Amino acid sequence: MSTQTQIESFDEISSGEKKPFAEVVFNLPLKGAFTYIIPPQFLGKVMVGMRVLVPFGRRRITGYVVSLVDKWDKPITLKNISDLPDAEPIVSTEILNLTRWLGEYYQSSWGEAIRSALPAGIDDESREVFTVAEKANILGGSLSKSALSTLAFVSQQGSATLKQCQKGLGKKFSAYTLARLKQDGFLDASHQTRTSKVGYQFIKFVRLANPLPDEEEIELLLKRSPKQKLVFDLIKQKEISLPELQTQIPKSQAALRGLKEKNLVEVFTEKKEREAFVAEDTMTQPFGTSLTFTPGQKAVFKKLNLAIEAERFESFLLHGVTGSGKTEIYIRCIQRVLEMGKTAIMMVPEISLTPQTVERFRQRFGDRVAILHSGLSQTERYLEWKKIREEKVSIAVGARSAVFAPFKNLGIIVIDEEHDGSYKQDSNPRYHARDTAVMRARSLNAVVVMGSATPSLESTQNTRLGKYQYLSLDSRVGERMLPIVNLVDMKRERKEFKNFAMLSGTLRSAIRDRLSRNEQIFLFLNRRGTARFVFCPDCGYVLECAHCSVTLTFHGKEDRLLCHYCNFRTRMPNSCVECHGEVIRFSGFGTQKLEEEVLKNFPSARVTRLDRDTTRGRDSFADMHRNMHAGNIDILIGTQMITKGHDFPNVTLVGVVHADLSLNIPDFRSCERSFQLLTQVAGRAGRGQVPGKVLIQTNNPDHYVFEFIREHDVNAFHEKELKLRQMLNYPPFTRLVAIEIVSENEGLGQSTAATLGKALNRHVTSGLEILGPSKAALYQIQNKFRWHLILRGQSMQALQNVLANCQKLNDLKSASGGKIKISIDVDPFNLL
């Protein structure tokens, strides 16, 4: 992303202005704003940045006010705003400016961009509800099996929403079939508004009935019920909530029921805004004790502090080896910002990193910290967001969405592990949080610090172009050595030692040695399951997912075959479904199989596996951290979840079981990702007093990536990889825009991709090229076929102009009727 692009600002509209029209945008793929009349009861109350409920077609949906206007002179009848969910704006002018830039740059609508900046579940939702029409009972027999299944499900339910159809029909569900049944009159559709409960809570209260009997009758009714009289006397004093009643008079439910039956009390529900509770002295608590800087840390902090105190925008890339103390620098920079009366955002790529990071920040900053990540419930996220908005905290720690934390006086944004792919949103709007953070900081004269042991090539190139300042930490804290990295040639292991097991003799011996010294071990394998695929040795048939063009993975503990893309599950067949051969074989392996092998070789070891199958509970990561620090785990087996950020001083051995997996992915970034992944996991070893050792098992030990990993030479790897990228005309030397065409109808998708390719080619100018259309590497996912078109050129503005000028693209997007989905990914991170 070009950091030279400026975010244009617009004037903030004061609450006192009584302009009669509001420009409203929606969380829909519609680029323009829609004008609505502000009715008399809302004049002077509607403000820029507020949400409004408005009629839109046959629905009533939530929109966001982006401007107020005096005049409307077009011959179109306007509709009125229906309601105001808020008494004041929930989106600041600064965030409006940021989201407008984000929508324009990443080719989404402004409304979609605004929605991504707000906590999930905050808006009321308009849901389409389907019922079976009378026509279906007469003509239903002529329909397809898919259509008949859909009609039968809706008929059985009485009515059903889109989500209910998806869940109930499972693999039989088809969005196209549902749309066709509606279009042909077999299904009737109506719209219902589902009120959001995220920002409000509905509390039940009890009060005296009105009218009440006279005193004598009440005394008679309660004469033989002392518990009822006790409850009645309490309610007589004041209206009381049911939770408070239970606190003051435990086990009072039966008594309350009796009072209701005697018509002495009534229960009612009250809607109250949720409160974000924070201790009153939070912002005045003293900071925790700082750690002592090394000379290297001191020099880096000095440069950062100059920019912080100057209150000017600057972007820094902090390249520090694993264990070099980057987090302490982040904390000290944030502390300086807080001392100046400003606020800070600390971004981490994974939820798995958040518990450890939050713990360190809370030790230093107390309750000044709010947490923002997808592991929280919608209500919890809303309350954390509200703490920030109400200025009850001064630091936000979280993943990608934390970039939108609604601070009013932002001084610094820190992006840890800036190279990580999870900072790129994979659904609309497909923004990159790192680049969005740079743009936000630029508009606020704030400082951006991007840290990593393995910086991205894009950020490295930006330092060479002078867009970012380069800072480095070349050694670990406490003069600890970087781990010794050795390669194990698995081809030689099989050929010379006849060892066909997952673990080489060298790795088994090293594990045994570490266990005897009560040290801990990481084993890394970036694949889940027991066997990567299942095949028939007689005919060669491989079991594939029925809905995706990928093989099924066998999970031994569940005795099921599982698709890791659509979650399709099926039983393991007793024979080949193609030739009925009786022998079924397994090939490849995953973390589940590795766990079995480790337990077989080291039965007395305490082994824990950390992957998506074992971390479904919200406390899984925190439990693992606690057990690792307590010494309750000897061997931790995991996927890439264990590669970043974790600091366990007693881990002295890291074993990479199959290092070639990420190298074989058909993507121009595969070498860079492999280098980052393996360097990061290697960095988990030797962070305490005992030197670390890393053993990397590979079938391709001569690959150039391993040479740089072994030497911990990030700069030399960057030199080689940048030369290759420049020669092949790939980023960071060119810019990319990926267009994805998805359809359940393979022929329709293919013809649309071809039509779109021809239309785009007519707008291509010198210096630009179009690659494709071609089938995506993962061609079929969830019964949908995927094609890619790639626009490549030196100038992002030129690529954006091609998209803006291609009317066919807009026509195809708006006229698809649900049969085709076309999405645009600017600066794509994944081309699979």
PDB file of all heavy atoms in Angstrom, residues 529-531 534 543 552-563 568-574 584 586 592 596 609 613:
ATOM      1  N   GLY A 529      -4.895 -33.509  12.030  1.00  0.00           N
ATOM      2  CA  GLY A 529      -5.416 -34.813  11.648  1.00  0.00           C
ATOM      3  C   GLY A 529      -4.427 -35.946  11.859  1.00  0.00           C
ATOM      4  O   GLY A 529      -3.329 -35.791  12.393  1.00  0.00           O
ATOM      5  N   THR A 530      -4.860 -37.163  11.401  1.00  0.00           N
ATOM      6  CA  THR A 530      -4.051 -38.365  11.539  1.00  0.00           C
ATOM      7  C   THR A 530      -3.363 -38.703  10.224  1.00  0.00           C
ATOM      8  O   THR A 530      -2.172 -38.993  10.192  1.00  0.00           O
ATOM      9  CB  THR A 530      -4.943 -39.550  11.981  1.00  0.00           C
ATOM     10  OG1 THR A 530      -5.602 -39.182  13.197  1.00  0.00           O
ATOM     11  CG2 THR A 530      -4.116 -40.798  12.211  1.00  0.00           C
ATOM     12  N   ALA A 531      -4.113 -38.645   9.119  1.00  0.00           N
ATOM     13  CA  ALA A 531      -3.547 -38.934   7.793  1.00  0.00           C
ATOM     14  C   ALA A 531      -4.013 -37.872   6.819  1.00  0.00           C
ATOM     15  O   ALA A 531      -5.184 -37.492   6.825  1.00  0.00           O
ATOM     16  CB  ALA A 531      -3.980 -40.309   7.311  1.00  0.00           C
ATOM     17  N   VAL A 534      -6.498 -40.483   2.178  1.00  0.00           N
ATOM     18  CA  VAL A 534      -6.782 -41.912   2.217  1.00  0.00           C
ATOM     19  C   VAL A 534      -6.971 -42.379   0.775  1.00  0.00           C
ATOM     20  O   VAL A 534      -7.677 -41.732   0.003  1.00  0.00           O
ATOM     21  CB  VAL A 534      -8.064 -42.177   3.047  1.00  0.00           C
ATOM     22  CG1 VAL A 534      -8.349 -43.650   3.132  1.00  0.00           C
ATOM     23  CG2 VAL A 534      -7.922 -41.575   4.434  1.00  0.00           C
ATOM     24  N   LEU A 543      -9.836 -40.459  -1.708  1.00  0.00           N
ATOM     25  CA  LEU A 543     -11.112 -39.953  -1.191  1.00  0.00           C
ATOM     26  C   LEU A 543     -11.064 -38.432  -1.096  1.00  0.00           C
ATOM     27  O   LEU A 543     -10.234 -37.880  -0.367  1.00  0.00           O
ATOM     28  CB  LEU A 543     -11.408 -40.556   0.183  1.00  0.00           C
ATOM     29  CG  LEU A 543     -12.083 -41.935   0.164  1.00  0.00           C
ATOM     30  CD1 LEU A 543     -11.096 -43.016  -0.250  1.00  0.00           C
ATOM     31  CD2 LEU A 543     -12.672 -42.278   1.532  1.00  0.00           C
ATOM     32  N   LEU A 552      -9.842 -35.539   1.627  1.00  0.00           N
ATOM     33  CA  LEU A 552     -10.334 -35.616   2.995  1.00  0.00           C
ATOM     34  C   LEU A 552      -9.205 -36.059   3.917  1.00  0.00           C
ATOM     35  O   LEU A 552      -8.386 -36.895   3.545  1.00  0.00           O
ATOM     36  CB  LEU A 552     -11.500 -36.609   3.093  1.00  0.00           C
ATOM     37  CG  LEU A 552     -12.794 -36.191   2.374  1.00  0.00           C
ATOM     38  CD1 LEU A 552     -13.769 -37.358   2.314  1.00  0.00           C
ATOM     39  CD2 LEU A 552     -13.437 -35.001   3.071  1.00  0.00           C
ATOM     40  N   THR A 553      -9.176 -35.492   5.113  1.00  0.00           N
ATOM     41  CA  THR A 553      -8.158 -35.834   6.111  1.00  0.00           C
ATOM     42  C   THR A 553      -8.767 -36.761   7.149  1.00  0.00           C
ATOM     43  O   THR A 553      -9.870 -36.510   7.649  1.00  0.00           O
ATOM     44  CB  THR A 553      -7.626 -34.557   6.799  1.00  0.00           C
ATOM     45  OG1 THR A 553      -7.065 -33.701   5.807  1.00  0.00           O
ATOM     46  CG2 THR A 553      -6.569 -34.894   7.827  1.00  0.00           C
ATOM     47  N   PHE A 554      -8.051 -37.847   7.475  1.00  0.00           N
ATOM     48  CA  PHE A 554      -8.557 -38.803   8.454  1.00  0.00           C
ATOM     49  C   PHE A 554      -8.201 -38.342   9.855  1.00  0.00           C
ATOM     50  O   PHE A 554      -7.052 -38.030  10.151  1.00  0.00           O
ATOM     51  CB  PHE A 554      -7.970 -40.193   8.205  1.00  0.00           C
ATOM     52  CG  PHE A 554      -8.439 -41.229   9.191  1.00  0.00           C
ATOM     53  CD1 PHE A 554      -9.782 -41.557   9.292  1.00  0.00           C
ATOM     54  CD2 PHE A 554      -7.538 -41.868  10.032  1.00  0.00           C
ATOM     55  CE1 PHE A 554     -10.222 -42.503  10.203  1.00  0.00           C
ATOM     56  CE2 PHE A 554      -7.958 -42.818  10.949  1.00  0.00           C
ATOM     57  CZ  PHE A 554      -9.313 -43.145  11.033  1.00  0.00           C
ATOM     58  N   HIS A 555      -9.223 -38.279  10.750  1.00  0.00           N
ATOM     59  CA  HIS A 555      -9.015 -37.944  12.159  1.00  0.00           C
ATOM     60  C   HIS A 555      -9.309 -39.200  12.977  1.00  0.00           C
ATOM     61  O   HIS A 555     -10.455 -39.615  13.116  1.00  0.00           O
ATOM     62  CB  HIS A 555      -9.935 -36.795  12.581  1.00  0.00           C
ATOM     63  CG  HIS A 555      -9.514 -35.471  12.031  1.00  0.00           C
ATOM     64  ND1 HIS A 555      -9.083 -34.439  12.824  1.00  0.00           N
ATOM     65  CD2 HIS A 555      -9.420 -35.014  10.752  1.00  0.00           C
ATOM     66  CE1 HIS A 555      -8.749 -33.401  12.070  1.00  0.00           C
ATOM     67  NE2 HIS A 555      -8.955 -33.724  10.806  1.00  0.00           N
ATOM     68  N   GLY A 556      -8.230 -39.805  13.503  1.00  0.00           N
ATOM     69  CA  GLY A 556      -8.331 -41.112  14.143  1.00  0.00           C
ATOM     70  C   GLY A 556      -9.188 -41.133  15.386  1.00  0.00           C
ATOM     71  O   GLY A 556      -9.959 -42.064  15.609  1.00  0.00           O
ATOM     72  N   LYS A 557      -9.083 -40.094  16.231  1.00  0.00           N
ATOM     73  CA  LYS A 557      -9.828 -40.112  17.496  1.00  0.00           C
ATOM     74  C   LYS A 557     -11.328 -40.101  17.265  1.00  0.00           C
ATOM     75  O   LYS A 557     -12.092 -40.668  18.025  1.00  0.00           O
ATOM     76  CB  LYS A 557      -9.409 -38.918  18.360  1.00  0.00           C
ATOM     77  CG  LYS A 557      -8.054 -39.131  19.029  1.00  0.00           C
ATOM     78  CD  LYS A 557      -7.800 -38.101  20.108  1.00  0.00           C
ATOM     79  CE  LYS A 557      -6.488 -38.407  20.822  1.00  0.00           C
ATOM     80  NZ  LYS A 557      -6.161 -37.418  21.857  1.00  0.00           N
ATOM     81  N   GLU A 558     -11.759 -39.418  16.217  1.00  0.00           N
ATOM     82  CA  GLU A 558     -13.194 -39.370  15.897  1.00  0.00           C
ATOM     83  C   GLU A 558     -13.580 -40.469  14.917  1.00  0.00           C
ATOM     84  O   GLU A 558     -14.768 -40.684  14.656  1.00  0.00           O
ATOM     85  CB  GLU A 558     -13.537 -38.008  15.286  1.00  0.00           C
ATOM     86  CG  GLU A 558     -13.191 -36.828  16.174  1.00  0.00           C
ATOM     87  CD  GLU A 558     -13.157 -35.523  15.402  1.00  0.00           C
ATOM     88  OE1 GLU A 558     -13.958 -35.369  14.465  1.00  0.00           O
ATOM     89  OE2 GLU A 558     -12.319 -34.669  15.739  1.00  0.00           O
ATOM     90  N   ASP A 559     -12.561 -41.155  14.337  1.00  0.00           N
ATOM     91  CA  ASP A 559     -12.790 -42.175  13.312  1.00  0.00           C
ATOM     92  C   ASP A 559     -13.645 -41.609  12.171  1.00  0.00           C
ATOM     93  O   ASP A 559     -14.605 -42.222  11.723  1.00  0.00           O
ATOM     94  CB  ASP A 559     -13.465 -43.411  13.924  1.00  0.00           C
ATOM     95  CG  ASP A 559     -13.383 -44.621  12.985  1.00  0.00           C
ATOM     96  OD1 ASP A 559     -12.429 -44.688  12.183  1.00  0.00           O
ATOM     97  OD2 ASP A 559     -14.292 -45.480  13.039  1.00  0.00           O
ATOM     98  N   ARG A 560     -13.270 -40.414  11.721  1.00  0.00           N
ATOM     99  CA  ARG A 560     -14.014 -39.715  10.676  1.00  0.00           C
ATOM    100  C   ARG A 560     -13.048 -39.131   9.649  1.00  0.00           C
ATOM    101  O   ARG A 560     -11.898 -38.814   9.952  1.00  0.00           O
ATOM    102  CB  ARG A 560     -14.834 -38.560  11.262  1.00  0.00           C
ATOM    103  CG  ARG A 560     -16.033 -38.976  12.081  1.00  0.00           C
ATOM    104  CD  ARG A 560     -17.192 -39.424  11.187  1.00  0.00           C
ATOM    105  NE  ARG A 560     -18.415 -39.645  11.930  1.00  0.00           N
ATOM    106  CZ  ARG A 560     -18.711 -40.763  12.566  1.00  0.00           C
ATOM    107  NH1 ARG A 560     -17.855 -41.759  12.589  1.00  0.00           N
ATOM    108  NH2 ARG A 560     -19.865 -40.894  13.196  1.00  0.00           N
ATOM    109  N   LEU A 561     -13.553 -38.993   8.418  1.00  0.00           N
ATOM    110  CA  LEU A 561     -12.860 -38.242   7.382  1.00  0.00           C
ATOM    111  C   LEU A 561     -13.441 -36.836   7.389  1.00  0.00           C
ATOM    112  O   LEU A 561     -14.663 -36.665   7.411  1.00  0.00           O
ATOM    113  CB  LEU A 561     -13.065 -38.899   6.012  1.00  0.00           C
ATOM    114  CG  LEU A 561     -12.371 -40.251   5.816  1.00  0.00           C
ATOM    115  CD1 LEU A 561     -12.957 -40.967   4.610  1.00  0.00           C
ATOM    116  CD2 LEU A 561     -10.878 -40.091   5.653  1.00  0.00           C
ATOM    117  N   LEU A 562     -12.556 -35.832   7.352  1.00  0.00           N
ATOM    118  CA  LEU A 562     -12.995 -34.450   7.534  1.00  0.00           C
ATOM    119  C   LEU A 562     -12.403 -33.556   6.454  1.00  0.00           C
ATOM    120  O   LEU A 562     -11.223 -33.677   6.114  1.00  0.00           O
ATOM    121  CB  LEU A 562     -12.555 -33.957   8.921  1.00  0.00           C
ATOM    122  CG  LEU A 562     -12.811 -32.505   9.284  1.00  0.00           C
ATOM    123  CD1 LEU A 562     -14.307 -32.223   9.352  1.00  0.00           C
ATOM    124  CD2 LEU A 562     -12.157 -32.162  10.610  1.00  0.00           C
ATOM    125  N   CYS A 563     -13.222 -32.645   5.917  1.00  0.00           N
ATOM    126  CA  CYS A 563     -12.727 -31.614   4.996  1.00  0.00           C
ATOM    127  C   CYS A 563     -12.415 -30.370   5.822  1.00  0.00           C
ATOM    128  O   CYS A 563     -13.268 -29.860   6.540  1.00  0.00           O
ATOM    129  CB  CYS A 563     -13.782 -31.271   3.940  1.00  0.00           C
ATOM    130  SG  CYS A 563     -13.301 -29.872   2.885  1.00  0.00           S
ATOM    131  N   PHE A 568     -17.141 -30.794   5.980  1.00  0.00           N
ATOM    132  CA  PHE A 568     -17.863 -32.010   5.606  1.00  0.00           C
ATOM    133  C   PHE A 568     -17.251 -33.203   6.343  1.00  0.00           C
ATOM    134  O   PHE A 568     -16.028 -33.349   6.409  1.00  0.00           O
ATOM    135  CB  PHE A 568     -17.776 -32.213   4.085  1.00  0.00           C
ATOM    136  CG  PHE A 568     -18.271 -33.563   3.617  1.00  0.00           C
ATOM    137  CD1 PHE A 568     -19.615 -33.869   3.611  1.00  0.00           C
ATOM    138  CD2 PHE A 568     -17.372 -34.539   3.182  1.00  0.00           C
ATOM    139  CE1 PHE A 568     -20.068 -35.113   3.189  1.00  0.00           C
ATOM    140  CE2 PHE A 568     -17.800 -35.774   2.742  1.00  0.00           C
ATOM    141  CZ  PHE A 568     -19.162 -36.061   2.752  1.00  0.00           C
ATOM    142  N   ARG A 569     -18.093 -34.068   6.914  1.00  0.00           N
ATOM    143  CA  ARG A 569     -17.615 -35.236   7.653  1.00  0.00           C
ATOM    144  C   ARG A 569     -18.269 -36.497   7.103  1.00  0.00           C
ATOM    145  O   ARG A 569     -19.440 -36.470   6.713  1.00  0.00           O
ATOM    146  CB  ARG A 569     -17.966 -35.123   9.145  1.00  0.00           C
ATOM    147  CG  ARG A 569     -17.264 -33.999   9.864  1.00  0.00           C
ATOM    148  CD  ARG A 569     -17.888 -33.739  11.221  1.00  0.00           C
ATOM    149  NE  ARG A 569     -17.247 -32.583  11.842  1.00  0.00           N
ATOM    150  CZ  ARG A 569     -16.259 -32.680  12.724  1.00  0.00           C
ATOM    151  NH1 ARG A 569     -15.810 -33.860  13.082  1.00  0.00           N
ATOM    152  NH2 ARG A 569     -15.712 -31.598  13.237  1.00  0.00           N
ATOM    153  N   THR A 570     -17.530 -37.581   7.093  1.00  0.00           N
ATOM    154  CA  THR A 570     -18.096 -38.852   6.664  1.00  0.00           C
ATOM    155  C   THR A 570     -17.349 -39.990   7.346  1.00  0.00           C
ATOM    156  O   THR A 570     -16.221 -39.811   7.827  1.00  0.00           O
ATOM    157  CB  THR A 570     -18.030 -39.007   5.130  1.00  0.00           C
ATOM    158  OG1 THR A 570     -18.704 -40.206   4.739  1.00  0.00           O
ATOM    159  CG2 THR A 570     -16.569 -39.089   4.634  1.00  0.00           C
ATOM    160  N   ARG A 571     -17.981 -41.151   7.405  1.00  0.00           N
ATOM    161  CA  ARG A 571     -17.339 -42.322   8.020  1.00  0.00           C
ATOM    162  C   ARG A 571     -16.242 -42.870   7.113  1.00  0.00           C
ATOM    163  O   ARG A 571     -16.275 -42.698   5.899  1.00  0.00           O
ATOM    164  CB  ARG A 571     -18.375 -43.417   8.277  1.00  0.00           C
ATOM    165  CG  ARG A 571     -19.330 -43.096   9.406  1.00  0.00           C
ATOM    166  CD  ARG A 571     -20.262 -44.284   9.652  1.00  0.00           C
ATOM    167  NE  ARG A 571     -21.114 -44.035  10.796  1.00  0.00           N
ATOM    168  CZ  ARG A 571     -20.761 -44.245  12.056  1.00  0.00           C
ATOM    169  NH1 ARG A 571     -19.554 -44.704  12.321  1.00  0.00           N
ATOM    170  NH2 ARG A 571     -21.604 -43.993  13.042  1.00  0.00           N
ATOM    171  N   MET A 572     -15.305 -43.559   7.712  1.00  0.00           N
ATOM    172  CA  MET A 572     -14.254 -44.233   6.962  1.00  0.00           C
ATOM    173  C   MET A 572     -14.873 -45.451   6.265  1.00  0.00           C
ATOM    174  O   MET A 572     -15.483 -46.296   6.916  1.00  0.00           O
ATOM    175  CB  MET A 572     -13.164 -44.684   7.946  1.00  0.00           C
ATOM    176  CG  MET A 572     -12.012 -45.377   7.312  1.00  0.00           C
ATOM    177  SD  MET A 572     -10.999 -44.220   6.399  1.00  0.00           S
ATOM    178  CE  MET A 572      -9.949 -45.400   5.577  1.00  0.00           C
ATOM    179  N   PRO A 573     -14.782 -45.547   4.921  1.00  0.00           N
ATOM    180  CA  PRO A 573     -15.389 -46.692   4.227  1.00  0.00           C
ATOM    181  C   PRO A 573     -14.639 -47.996   4.514  1.00  0.00           C
ATOM    182  O   PRO A 573     -13.438 -47.981   4.791  1.00  0.00           O
ATOM    183  CB  PRO A 573     -15.271 -46.302   2.742  1.00  0.00           C
ATOM    184  CG  PRO A 573     -14.105 -45.372   2.689  1.00  0.00           C
ATOM    185  CD  PRO A 573     -14.095 -44.633   3.990  1.00  0.00           C
ATOM    186  N   ASN A 574     -15.356 -49.120   4.444  1.00  0.00           N
ATOM    187  CA  ASN A 574     -14.723 -50.433   4.656  1.00  0.00           C
ATOM    188  C   ASN A 574     -13.999 -50.916   3.410  1.00  0.00           C
ATOM    189  O   ASN A 574     -13.132 -51.791   3.482  1.00  0.00           O
ATOM    190  CB  ASN A 574     -15.785 -51.462   5.072  1.00  0.00           C
ATOM    191  CG  ASN A 574     -16.401 -51.115   6.418  1.00  0.00           C
ATOM    192  OD1 ASN A 574     -15.691 -50.692   7.322  1.00  0.00           O
ATOM    193  ND2 ASN A 574     -17.717 -51.268   6.533  1.00  0.00           N
ATOM    194  N   ILE A 584      -7.665 -50.291   2.271  1.00  0.00           N
ATOM    195  CA  ILE A 584      -7.629 -48.820   2.234  1.00  0.00           C
ATOM    196  C   ILE A 584      -6.371 -48.376   2.973  1.00  0.00           C
ATOM    197  O   ILE A 584      -6.105 -48.816   4.096  1.00  0.00           O
ATOM    198  CB  ILE A 584      -8.870 -48.207   2.918  1.00  0.00           C
ATOM    199  CG1 ILE A 584     -10.143 -48.617   2.172  1.00  0.00           C
ATOM    200  CG2 ILE A 584      -8.758 -46.693   2.998  1.00  0.00           C
ATOM    201  CD1 ILE A 584     -10.310 -47.977   0.826  1.00  0.00           C
ATOM    202  N   PHE A 586      -3.491 -45.269   4.275  1.00  0.00           N
ATOM    203  CA  PHE A 586      -3.341 -43.875   4.695  1.00  0.00           C
ATOM    204  C   PHE A 586      -2.006 -43.338   4.182  1.00  0.00           C
ATOM    205  O   PHE A 586      -1.018 -44.052   4.143  1.00  0.00           O
ATOM    206  CB  PHE A 586      -3.367 -43.758   6.220  1.00  0.00           C
ATOM    207  CG  PHE A 586      -4.614 -44.314   6.851  1.00  0.00           C
ATOM    208  CD1 PHE A 586      -4.619 -45.570   7.431  1.00  0.00           C
ATOM    209  CD2 PHE A 586      -5.777 -43.578   6.846  1.00  0.00           C
ATOM    210  CE1 PHE A 586      -5.770 -46.081   8.012  1.00  0.00           C
ATOM    211  CE2 PHE A 586      -6.930 -44.077   7.427  1.00  0.00           C
ATOM    212  CZ  PHE A 586      -6.931 -45.329   8.014  1.00  0.00           C
ATOM    213  N   GLN A 592      -2.445 -35.079  14.974  1.00  0.00           N
ATOM    214  CA  GLN A 592      -3.050 -36.152  15.752  1.00  0.00           C
ATOM    215  C   GLN A 592      -2.200 -37.422  15.671  1.00  0.00           C
ATOM    216  O   GLN A 592      -1.953 -38.094  16.675  1.00  0.00           O
ATOM    217  CB  GLN A 592      -4.468 -36.414  15.227  1.00  0.00           C
ATOM    218  CG  GLN A 592      -5.384 -37.064  16.242  1.00  0.00           C
ATOM    219  CD  GLN A 592      -6.805 -37.159  15.717  1.00  0.00           C
ATOM    220  OE1 GLN A 592      -7.272 -38.253  15.390  1.00  0.00           O
ATOM    221  NE2 GLN A 592      -7.494 -36.038  15.619  1.00  0.00           N
ATOM    222  N   GLU A 596       0.134 -39.457  18.605  1.00  0.00           N
ATOM    223  CA  GLU A 596       0.132 -40.909  18.833  1.00  0.00           C
ATOM    224  C   GLU A 596       1.551 -41.467  18.814  1.00  0.00           C
ATOM    225  O   GLU A 596       1.926 -42.296  19.652  1.00  0.00           O
ATOM    226  CB  GLU A 596      -0.727 -41.608  17.774  1.00  0.00           C
ATOM    227  CG  GLU A 596      -2.209 -41.286  17.866  1.00  0.00           C
ATOM    228  CD  GLU A 596      -2.983 -41.765  16.645  1.00  0.00           C
ATOM    229  OE1 GLU A 596      -2.386 -42.512  15.818  1.00  0.00           O
ATOM    230  OE2 GLU A 596      -4.161 -41.393  16.499  1.00  0.00           O
ATOM    231  N   ARG A 609      -1.470 -31.382  22.860  1.00  0.00           N
ATOM    232  CA  ARG A 609      -1.573 -30.989  21.445  1.00  0.00           C
ATOM    233  C   ARG A 609      -2.369 -29.699  21.346  1.00  0.00           C
ATOM    234  O   ARG A 609      -3.418 -29.565  21.978  1.00  0.00           O
ATOM    235  CB  ARG A 609      -2.249 -32.109  20.637  1.00  0.00           C
ATOM    236  CG  ARG A 609      -2.513 -31.779  19.186  1.00  0.00           C
ATOM    237  CD  ARG A 609      -2.787 -33.057  18.376  1.00  0.00           C
ATOM    238  NE  ARG A 609      -3.896 -33.803  18.894  1.00  0.00           N
ATOM    239  CZ  ARG A 609      -5.169 -33.686  18.473  1.00  0.00           C
ATOM    240  NH1 ARG A 609      -5.469 -32.808  17.535  1.00  0.00           N
ATOM    241  NH2 ARG A 609      -6.129 -34.421  18.988  1.00  0.00           N
ATOM    242  N   ASP A 613      -8.445 -28.388  16.461  1.00  0.00           N
ATOM    243  CA  ASP A 613      -9.314 -29.440  16.995  1.00  0.00           C
ATOM    244  C   ASP A 613      -9.335 -29.454  18.514  1.00  0.00           C
ATOM    245  O   ASP A 613     -10.284 -29.929  19.127  1.00  0.00           O
ATOM    246  CB  ASP A 613      -8.848 -30.814  16.488  1.00  0.00           C
ATOM    247  CG  ASP A 613      -8.958 -30.932  14.972  1.00  0.00           C
ATOM    248  OD1 ASP A 613      -9.922 -30.385  14.415  1.00  0.00           O
ATOM    249  OD2 ASP A 613      -8.077 -31.556  14.353  1.00  0.00           O
TER     250      ASP A 613
END
